[in-house]
Amino acid sequence: MAVIEGSVTSLGIQIVYVIVGVFCVVKALTLLGSYRKMKKRYDEIPGFEKKDYHWLTGNIHKFPKETEKRLELHRSLMINNPRVCRMWLGPFVANIFVHHPDSIKRILKSSEPKARGLGGSYEYLLPWLGEGLLVSNGDRWARSRRLLTPAFHFDILRPYVDIYNEASDLLLDKMASDVKKGRSFELFGNISMCTLDIILRCAFSYENDCQVKGETHPYVVAVNELSETLLHRTRIPLLHPDFIFYLTSEGRRFRRNCNFVHSVTEEIIAKRKQTLKEKKFQPKPRYLDFLDILLSARDETGQGLSDAEIRDEADTFLFEGHDTTASGITWTLFALAGHPHFQAKVKGEIDDVSKGRKCKDIQWEDLPKLQYLTQCIKEGMRLHSPVPFIQRRLKKEIEMPDCTLPGGALVTLHLYNLHHNPHVWTDPDTYDPERFNPDTVRELDTYSFIPFSAGSRNCIGQHFAMNEEKVVIARILQRYTLALDPKHTVQKKFSAVLRSEHGIHVTITPREDTATDNQ
């Protein structure tokens, strides 16, 4: 009897094994079939040829480490595929690049969400910026957008012009010091400190010695490392899963940097709350800042932002409000330093606007009059896009002129390529502010130039950024003539924001007509 029972038990176990085995085989075949179907569909989208595909790395192995060489590869892909280009991030994730107005407008008009999940760069921003405006989707984003829009009303922005001028004064003092020492001036690092100074004061009424500390300022070091790590991680599929990434030294450094930038923001918020609690804060004598709006914002139910939401939005604004504007200012000055004729026209316009005034500050009323400077800034942002790309995750299938993008697709709107697309722009590598002459710009497709994105999720702070860029550039060109340092080679560096690999060095010469008054 025991033998029979043992045989029955053994048979039952064997049957279970067979059933489990069959289930696993069926499941594996189903997944394999789904994978082949998915890969076939994505491979129908124009892009890399089959010979360039590797079973493990996809097409990633084709991209050089150096930014300039990667840009050359992107350029060749864009020329061969004017609207859409597909590449594989490893064996399972396809990344669809779009770089033509016809394609980009179909994405941005459809209000597709920011790319989260596997391969989506915004997923990796969560530990840093949380669910702030840059990263959030759906109802969370819509509520935050409504609550924060008042922070960028013209009446709020107007007093910030004084801060732009005061921060520019400190920057000009640093430039004067280098003039006396007879050495070239590094633009990127110094302007980054200036824009950080501005955002700390405009957003949080927080004064810091960041322009004195320079690029060694720990916040700037942390932000630069975070940006570079994010881009590197998106290119390495093995680092996509959190449990692997945070085991690496790079992942641990990323976490430390996140904790540090959070501590900076939390300290600022805590000090303001303490001031309010002690009733020492008198809001009437000074401008409202971004933190005032965050702390006082209420939705239709009377609910304000939670502590976590306030920190997320503050972290987002602190990052986006200094890094992108620094890039826009620096690359525009770089372009003007290489084109004396355009620089001279900008100087003439600035002189006309401030003519007859003893104070050389740029005033709020001057900003709309700086039309040619605006053209130069826009052309600078076209040629050197401060934000090189943004991403979306398609909720549904979208028809393109040349193909169909499936629902769930990871789509990269390659703004740098869009702004250099020879199918869109004539002589795209040439700096020519006349492209944005009011008469010429009417002929441009609205989606051919989108440095601040477009559609419902365009940059909420674009007017703040443009005003700041106008003031800082105008104040510099009021006093100095810039020329490129022939001893220094400028190389682009791709990260979340377009930087330079080894800085941007210019020679600065005091203008004869203003040197006596301003030195």
Side-chain angles (χ1 to χ4, degrees):
M1 195 69 177
V3 174
I4 294 174
E5 289 178 355
S7 298
V8 171
T9 302
S10 178
L11 179 61
I13 292 173
Q14 291 179 27
I15 292 172
V16 170
Y17 283 160
V18 170
I19 293 173
V20 171
V22 170
F23 174 80
C24 290
V25 170
V26 171
K27 189 69 174 177
L29 290 174
T30 302
L31 290 173
L32 180 60
S34 299
Y35 170 73
R36 285 179 172 174
K37 184 178 179 181
M38 178 271 293
K39 190 171 187 307
K40 180 181 178 182
R41 184 165 190 189
Y42 278 109
D43 281 341
E44 291 173 352
I45 300 171
F48 279 94
E49 298 179 11
K50 287 185 178 180
K51 65 180 179 64
D52 295 322
Y53 178 82
H54 186 275
W55 68 271
L56 180 61
T57 62
N59 303 123
I60 291 177
H61 65 286
K62 300 296 294 184
F63 284 84
K65 291 183 178 180
E66 300 85 354
T67 292
E68 298 281 359
K69 291 183 179 180
R70 286 204 306 275
L71 288 175
E72 289 176 12
L73 178 57
H74 275 291
R75 171 70 63 88
S76 65
L77 290 168
M78 173 185 62
I79 290 173
N80 293 328
N81 308 282
R83 291 181 172 83
V84 176
C85 178
R86 178 259 312 136
M87 69 165 289
W88 284 96
L89 299 172
F92 305 112
V93 180
N95 191 1
I96 312 301
F97 291 99
V98 292
H99 37 240
H100 191 283
D102 294 346
S103 305
I104 283 180
K105 70 177 63 176
R106 294 169 191 247
I107 306 293
L108 294 180
K109 283 184 175 182
S110 63
S111 300
E112 297 297 323
K114 293 293 183 76
R116 304 271 283 268
L118 191 62
S121 58
Y122 296 97
E123 183 75 20
Y124 311 133
L125 278 167
L126 281 171
W128 175 11
L129 303 181
E131 293 282 355
L133 272 182
L134 179 64
V135 180
S136 59
N137 286 314
D139 293 341
R140 171 68 182 267
W141 171 83
R143 177 176 180 266
S144 295
R145 180 84 180 202
R146 288 197 306 273
L147 292 178
L148 298 182
T149 295
F152 300 94
H153 188 276
F154 288 127
D155 290 338
I156 301 295
L157 298 180
R158 185 189 300 267
Y160 293 164
V161 173
D162 293 335
I163 297 173
Y164 303 158
N165 279 290
E166 290 168 10
S168 297
D169 287 336
L170 293 174
L171 177 62
L172 290 169
D173 288 343
K174 294 172 73 174
M175 297 180 81
S177 176
D178 276 12
V179 169
K180 291 178 180 178
K181 294 174 183 176
R183 63 190 185 194
S184 64
F185 187 77
E186 200 289 299
L187 286 175
F188 222 110
N190 285 297
I191 287 175
S192 291
M193 295 307 100
C194 179
T195 59
L196 178 60
D197 187 14
I198 287 171
I199 200 65
L200 285 170
R201 295 174 65 185
C202 291
F204 309 111
S205 301
Y206 183 83
E207 297 201 27
N208 191 282
D209 59 351
C210 53
Q211 291 212 60
V212 176
K213 291 180 179 178
E215 285 188 283
T216 60
H217 191 286
Y219 183 85
V220 175
V221 172
V223 167
N224 289 345
E225 289 184 357
L226 285 167
S227 300
E228 291 173 19
T229 301
L230 283 168
L231 190 64
H232 180 248
R233 186 182 181 187
T234 59
R235 296 200 305 265
I236 309 297
L238 184 62
L239 297 178
H240 288 181
D242 284 347
F243 75 91
I244 294 178
F245 175 66
Y246 288 111
L247 288 175
T248 67
S249 59
E250 190 174 25
R252 292 192 294 271
R253 185 171 66 251
F254 182 83
R255 194 187 297 277
R256 287 195 302 271
N257 283 328
C258 284
N259 291 337
F260 174 74
V261 297
H262 291 164
S263 70
V264 172
T265 310
E266 288 166 355
E267 179 188 0
I268 293 171
I269 295 171
K271 285 183 177 179
R272 175 64 60 83
K273 285 186 171 181
Q274 183 62 30
T275 304
L276 289 170
K277 186 177 180 180
E278 295 173 355
K279 297 183 179 180
K280 292 180 180 178
F281 176 60
Q282 300 293 331
K284 291 183 179 179
R286 69 157 179 87
Y287 56 86
L288 286 172
D289 61 25
F290 182 66
L291 190 51
D292 291 328
I293 305 294
L294 285 176
L295 292 171
S296 62
R298 296 291 182 273
D299 61 21
E300 56 275 8
T301 68
Q303 185 71 32
L305 295 168
S306 68
D307 288 347
E309 289 174 321
I310 290 172
R311 193 194 73 178
D312 290 348
E313 300 301 350
D315 278 331
T316 297
F317 195 56
L318 194 52
F319 161 59
E320 287 205 288
H322 103 270
D323 224 19
T324 54
T325 50
S327 180
I329 293 169
T330 302
W331 286 112
T332 298
L333 287 172
F334 167 75
L336 290 172
H339 296 83
H341 172 66
F342 296 136
Q343 186 177 167
K345 289 188 69 173
V346 173
K347 290 176 185 291
E349 179 181 69
I350 296 167
D351 291 346
D352 287 343
V353 166
S354 58
K355 192 173 183 179
R357 292 203 308 246
K358 289 184 178 180
C359 175
K360 295 299 180 181
D361 284 2
I362 300 298
Q363 300 174 3
W364 174 260
E365 294 74 18
D366 298 333
L367 297 177
K369 301 174 186 177
L370 296 171
Q371 180 59 49
Y372 193 75
L373 174 57
T374 302
Q375 292 177 213
C376 290
I377 292 172
K378 288 182 176 180
E379 177 67 348
M381 290 193 293
R382 182 198 68 82
L383 197 60
H384 310 283
S385 306
V387 178
F389 62 89
I390 55 180
Q391 286 189 327
R392 296 290 187 267
R393 178 78 69 180
L394 301 190
K395 293 184 293 186
K396 58 186 179 182
E397 186 177 275
I398 291 185
E399 290 286 339
M400 291 288 172
D402 304 325
C403 61
T404 300
L405 304 186
L410 173 65
V411 178
T412 296
L413 289 74
H414 205 301
L415 306 189
Y416 188 93
N417 269 4
L418 166 69
H419 296 160
H420 289 77
N421 194 330
H423 302 279
V424 179
W425 301 92
T426 304
D427 298 325
D429 295 326
T430 300
Y431 181 78
D432 181 10
E434 289 302 322
R435 297 180 201 272
F436 294 96
N437 182 293
D439 295 327
T440 306
V441 78
R442 295 192 191 100
E443 302 173 6
L444 292 175
D445 187 301
T446 306
Y447 288 83
S448 62
F449 175 68
I450 51 171
F452 298 106
S453 187
S456 61
R457 295 207 61 158
N458 66 346
C459 175
I460 194 173
Q462 58 184 292
H463 294 300
F464 174 94
M466 282 298 294
N467 292 345
E468 178 182 352
E469 292 182 27
K470 288 180 188 180
V471 172
V472 175
I473 293 172
R475 290 298 309 280
I476 290 173
L477 296 184
Q478 270 183 337
R479 186 179 296 189
Y480 295 111
T481 296
L482 307 184
L484 298 179
D485 185 347
K487 300 177 183 177
H488 182 75
T489 301
V490 175
Q491 293 179 306
K492 296 183 180 71
K493 183 177 182 180
F494 253 46
S495 59
V497 172
L498 184 66
R499 296 188 175 89
S500 55
E501 192 72 49
H502 306 292
I504 295 177
H505 290 258
V506 295
T507 59
I508 46 179
T509 307
R511 294 176 60 187
E512 293 182 2
D513 53 339
T514 60
T516 303
D517 294 334
N518 292 316
Q519 291 295 338

